[in-house]
Amino acid sequence: MSDTTSPAAKLDTNVAHPARRYNYWLGGKDNFAADRLSGDQVAAVFPTVKRAAQENRRFLRRAVGFLAGEAGIRQFLDVGTGLPTADNTHEVAQRIAPESRVVYVDNDPLVMAHARALLTSSPEGKSAYIERDLRDPQSILDAPELHATLDLGRPVGLTLVAILHFVRDFEDPYGAVGRLVAALPSGSFVVLSHGTYDGLPAETVAKLEEANAATGGLSRPRSRDEFARFFTGLDLVDPGVLPIGDWRPEPGSTPPDPIDICMYGAVARIP
């Protein structure tokens, strides 16, 4: 009898998945033909998409570095983990504070299998892995692994990096973020990045939408105002909502042209 509970049994390799497509753009090998086809369709219209993926990882590193350093956060909830690569959340945080504790959440069983195998915490800290979907935030908040790892009575850094543009309007992305934020105490922080069509020529947008439709409408890019709405009621950290390359760039670095990246990012404190 086959094991229908194993990660392999639950994988649908015939449908592109955001985490595996992202892995492909980053030069990884944990992807399938459908992911590569979808990735190539986007890259044919938006040739800098691979650089955008790289810049998003750099934004994550800077934002988590800010939380673990200047903000003093020692607990992290990383929703939409993606396949392991360099500078994962716990690695960035634990370089600054080895006692940091991280819970990773993703809805792809391949991601979770790799995370459990490769994302090893420091001896002083702890990491846990939950296979859940952002579209069902309560299932994340109810997970025993979450409460065994994080104390929700103390500040938490919630990261939703390059994931919300895969939650379409009818799936209530603002409600999902609101439910997670409401469960965290004052002094917690939220880190978001999000794809956008802002600044792109209409012809390019039309071609990207055509490629998107070919994969069942995998993504829903949003405008700056739509992105900023996720931070309603929160206190934005300077410098506010910006293209990700412009959010606290490394000293001496030259931020990329926003039109080559097409992603906004920001960090906010829960009052």
Side-chain angles (χ1 to χ4, degrees), residues 45 197-211:
V45 184
Y197 287 152
D198 285 0
L200 289 176
E203 181 182 359
T204 301
V205 172
K207 290 179 179 178
L208 284 170
E209 279 297 285
E210 183 179 342

Side-chain angles (χ1 to χ4, degrees), residues 105-232:
V105 183
D106 204 283
N107 68 350
D108 185 346
L110 181 64
V111 168
M112 288 292 93
H114 280 63
R116 293 185 181 101
L118 299 175
L119 299 183
T120 305
S121 172
S122 69
E124 301 93 333
K126 187 176 181 179
S127 57
Y129 316 95
I130 307 173
E131 189 178 330
R132 297 287 193 279
D133 197 307
L134 172 59
R135 299 168 184 84
D136 185 6
Q138 196 59 46
S139 71
I140 297 173
L141 296 171
D142 290 342
E145 300 94 331
L146 174 68
H147 296 279
T149 308
L150 306 182
D151 176 1
L152 298 189
R154 297 171 50 235
V156 174
L158 170 64
T159 67
L160 294 151
V161 173
I163 182 64
L164 284 165
H165 47 247
F166 297 116
V167 183
R168 292 161 291 184
D169 293 343
F170 70 88
E171 295 168 318
D172 193 17
Y174 297 103
V177 173
R179 291 281 294 278
L180 293 175
V181 167
L184 303 180
S186 174
S188 296
F189 286 81
V190 181
V191 176
L192 307 181
S193 69
H194 198 298
T196 185
Y197 287 152
D198 285 0
L200 289 176
E203 181 182 359
T204 301
V205 172
K207 290 179 179 178
L208 284 170
E209 279 297 285
E210 183 179 342
N212 190 33
T215 55
L218 195 62
S219 65
R220 166 52 167 103
R222 293 184 170 90
S223 68
R224 186 187 187 282
D225 286 346
E226 289 174 314
F227 175 62
R229 182 181 160 193
F230 286 108
F231 297 98
T232 300

